[in-house]
Amino acid sequence: INAQNDEGDNEVTIVETGKNGNSYSQSTLKAHLVEGTSYTFPNWDKNGHALIITALDIDLGANQAVDIAVARVSITLEGANPCGVDSSSFTFKNDNGFEQDCAWLTKNADNSANRIAKYCEYGSVKWACQATCDSCAGTCADSSTFAFTLDNDKTKNCAYLLQSSDDAIDLKRTEKYCNRGAETAPTAGFEVGAACPESCGFCPV
């Protein structure tokens, strides 16, 4: 809660820092919220989901003895998949180039074991179909040793996917290398998604 300011007194102030707050940098005032209002960060952390911050209530008399006000806020990552639950909206391309969902993995009893063994190795499938792939207990994080080859034959690690200062460039990189369909050499793209799930935006929240 801000007080004794030119702007945003007795409101929830949302500030975005540079460099993730890890060192000195310029901060930007994004919003100041009154009770019941929200602010949305689109494509939060470049994972394709919107982060919504809502000021649920503001108590200006929470501690009058020391002049402290208290705000209760909610922070929601839109579209995030709860741990241990298959996403109902997720689809991926199988080796034949057809769009499939999590249910397809176990739709055919004779093929389910092979499908799970194969497709649950793909980062996008593993973390979107957590119940089917039994991946909830695992740790979703980028590999510190993995490296992959770009189309120009340069070798990069997971950090490359999000290291540009331009969000549009990072989005192009993740779309190109994290989610290649079966019509392009599957292992090239799916290996990146499996080894760099955090940078690719596949990790559950």
Side-chain angles (χ1 to χ4, degrees):
I1 301 290
N2 264 344
Q4 299 178 355
N5 298 291
D6 292 333
E7 184 178 5
D9 276 0
N10 301 324
E11 299 176 8
V12 174
T13 302
I14 301 175
V15 177
E16 184 175 32
T17 65
K19 301 181 181 178
N20 294 318
N22 293 322
S23 61
Y24 177 81
S25 64
Q26 183 176 355
S27 298
T28 304
L29 174 65
K30 306 302 289 187
H32 42 87
L33 306 177
V34 298
E35 191 171 286
T37 60
S38 301
Y39 180 80
T40 300
F41 286 93
N43 194 28
W44 174 254
D45 203 24
K46 302 173 185 177
N47 65 13
H49 302 302
L51 185 77
I52 304 170
I53 302 174
T54 303
L56 299 175
D57 52 62
I58 299 173
D59 184 358
L60 299 179
N63 192 332
Q64 296 179 353
V66 290
D67 194 25
I68 292 178
V70 175
R72 187 167 60 94
V73 302
S74 71
I75 302 176
T76 305
L77 191 62
E78 193 174 62
N81 190 36
C83 191
V85 178
D86 285 350
S87 169
S88 59
S89 59
F90 171 76
T91 61
F92 65 98
K93 286 185 178 180
N94 65 10
D95 282 352
N96 295 323
F98 294 108
E99 291 283 341
Q100 305 293 351
D101 57 13
C102 295
W104 175 82
L105 295 169
T106 55
K107 193 172 184 178
N108 185 316
D110 293 334
N111 296 329
S112 61
N114 289 334
R115 288 176 179 177
I116 290 172
K118 179 174 185 175
Y119 291 102
C120 286
E121 290 299 309
Y122 303 165
S124 57
V125 178
K126 178 178 181 178
W127 298 109
C129 306
Q130 294 175 56
T132 300
C133 294
D134 194 23
S135 57
C136 189
T139 300
C140 190
D142 289 348
S143 168
S144 60
T145 58
F146 174 77
F148 63 100
T149 303
L150 306 182
D151 289 347
N152 60 10
D153 292 329
K154 291 183 178 180
T155 301
K156 299 291 183 179
N157 59 17
C158 295
Y160 164 81
L161 296 167
L162 297 178
Q163 72 180 16
S164 171
S165 58
D166 187 333
D167 288 354
I169 292 177
D170 288 341
L171 183 60
K172 287 181 179 178
R173 289 175 178 175
T174 53
E175 286 181 344
K176 183 173 186 177
Y177 292 105
C178 294
N179 286 307
R180 285 185 167 177
E183 67 277 4
T184 65
T187 55
F190 290 133
E191 279 183 352
V192 175
C196 310
E198 194 171 7
S199 293
C200 288
F202 295 153
C203 290
V205 178

